[in-house]
Amino acid sequence: MDSDLFSRRRAERFAQLLDEANGGRRHHVRSKADGELTALVEVGRRLTAERPDVEVDAEFRTGLRAMLVATAEREGVGAPARTGTSGVRGALLPAITGRRARARGAILVGVAAGAVALSGISAASENALPGDALYGMKRSTERAQLALASSDISRGQLFLDFARTRLDEAASVRDDRLGFSAVLDDMDADTRQGVRLLTTVAAQRSDPAALDAVDTFLAGQRRVVSGLLDRPDSADRDRTRRSLSLLDAAGKRADALREAIACGLPAPQASDMLGPAPATCPAGR
């Protein structure tokens, strides 16, 4: 698939083929890209016809609507034709604009249908484990959730949710030392990202509220991670201890920030993988 696939002409031709596949009028034109585009249209048709029967949650609908509205505004779908053009070009412009608007509208409809269909696949991938066919879709869905998050607090909480998910996956990985270690690596990366975002918000606002999510996460995560220490392989136990050390460090950072905020210290200038590193409160404060 070349990088020119979604150029304007191909996009409009794709919209025509998609329109025809959905019962619209036939366009008596041919394109060199029809073979490739027809294959994509067939994928879209199958996704729409065979999508899993799942309920799309409200957050996904809101994010999808925002994406489509932004795309419509950028592409000019529904915008009135420009005025003030004279002659033959002026006579042809409304028709051309109308065709392009319909083409772009068809693309938006196709994107919406495909997105809703893929949301069903995403729901089906929720329980996928590393090595499963749908695991890549599961991770892609997580990245999409992060992209739609509205604030650093939301993103931080999502990262901590993903760290919990990685822990569930690690508990299900058996007899695979490399796989177990890789999942814990991902879990620790999500933990660091989530803690860093939330501690940064707390320091910038001089408000410890964002640290509550960190404390809740650490309490549950420590308990479950500790349960992995009973694995028979010593390398697995050593790797588990490194994750526990990270959780301990995150807890100490959250406690230190609470103390710094309580005694009125300014936002820390120093920072590391867990976010702002506060100074110690002076004695007596």
Side-chain angles (χ1 to χ4, degrees), residues 232-267:
D233 190 281
S234 60
D236 286 354
R237 294 196 297 273
D238 290 341
R239 179 61 191 82
T240 299
R241 291 189 186 98
R242 295 209 302 273
S243 291
L244 281 172
S245 295
L246 173 62
L247 296 176
D248 290 340
K252 291 177 181 177
R253 178 60 52 84
D255 290 344
L257 276 171
R258 284 184 184 278
E259 292 177 4
I261 292 171
C263 68
L265 290 181

Side-chain angles (χ1 to χ4, degrees), residues 211-229:
L211 301 175
D212 293 343
V214 176
D215 292 343
T216 300
F217 164 78
L218 292 175
Q221 198 81 344
R222 276 197 190 99
R223 183 175 61 256
V224 182
V225 172
S226 296
L228 298 178
L229 290 172

Side-chain angles (χ1 to χ4, degrees), residues 5-253:
L5 175 60
F6 288 109
S7 65
R8 183 178 299 276
R9 287 187 179 181
R10 289 196 177 196
E12 291 183 356
R13 180 58 180 153
F14 175 69
Q16 290 175 348
L17 293 172
L18 189 64
D19 189 34
E20 291 176 7
N22 289 324
R25 71 179 183 85
R26 296 192 61 80
H27 301 78
H28 299 290
V29 294
R30 294 287 298 171
S31 166
K32 293 181 180 179
D34 276 8
E36 186 175 345
L37 294 176
T38 300
L40 290 174
V41 170
E42 175 60 18
V43 171
R45 187 196 64 77
R46 291 179 60 186
L47 282 172
T48 302
E50 303 171 14
R51 62 181 180 269
D53 185 17
V54 297
E55 182 67 25
V56 180
D57 61 41
E59 182 178 357
F60 177 83
R61 291 181 185 274
T62 301
L64 176 60
R65 182 182 184 281
M67 180 191 71
L68 293 177
V69 169
T71 303
E73 291 177 350
R74 184 176 65 250
E75 295 294 334
V77 176
R82 291 175 294 176
T83 59
T85 305
S86 59
V88 175
R89 187 172 183 274
L92 291 176
L93 183 59
I96 294 173
T97 303
R99 285 198 299 271
R100 287 182 176 173
R102 286 193 297 273
R104 291 168 181 166
I107 293 173
L108 289 176
V109 171
V111 169
V116 172
L118 288 174
S119 70
I121 299 175
S122 299
S125 71
E126 286 180 357
N127 297 320
L129 296 174
D132 292 349
L134 290 177
Y135 190 69
M137 174 62 72
K138 179 180 183 177
R139 298 303 296 271
S140 295
T141 300
E142 291 175 353
R143 289 192 290 272
Q145 288 178 273
L146 288 170
L148 291 173
S150 59
S151 67
D152 282 346
I153 289 181
S154 296
R155 277 184 286 274
Q157 291 172 333
L158 278 173
F159 272 117
L160 297 186
D161 285 343
F162 300 154
R164 294 184 182 97
T165 300
R166 300 291 85 80
L167 180 54
D168 290 341
E169 293 168 359
S172 301
V173 174
R174 301 291 179 184
D175 304 321
D176 183 359
R177 181 186 302 172
L178 292 178
F180 178 78
S181 181
V183 173
L184 289 190
D185 287 346
D186 288 346
M187 179 187 75
D188 290 351
D190 289 336
T191 297
R192 285 190 288 269
Q193 290 272 37
V195 170
R196 181 178 59 81
L197 285 167
L198 292 170
T199 55
T200 299
V201 170
Q204 289 175 344
R205 299 180 180 179
S206 295
D207 183 352
L211 301 175
D212 293 343
V214 176
D215 292 343
T216 300
F217 164 78
L218 292 175
Q221 198 81 344
R222 276 197 190 99
R223 183 175 61 256
V224 182
V225 172
S226 296
L228 298 178
L229 290 172
D230 64 357
R231 293 176 70 97
D233 190 281
S234 60
D236 286 354
R237 294 196 297 273
D238 290 341
R239 179 61 191 82
T240 299
R241 291 189 186 98
R242 295 209 302 273
S243 291
L244 281 172
S245 295
L246 173 62
L247 296 176
D248 290 340
K252 291 177 181 177
R253 178 60 52 84

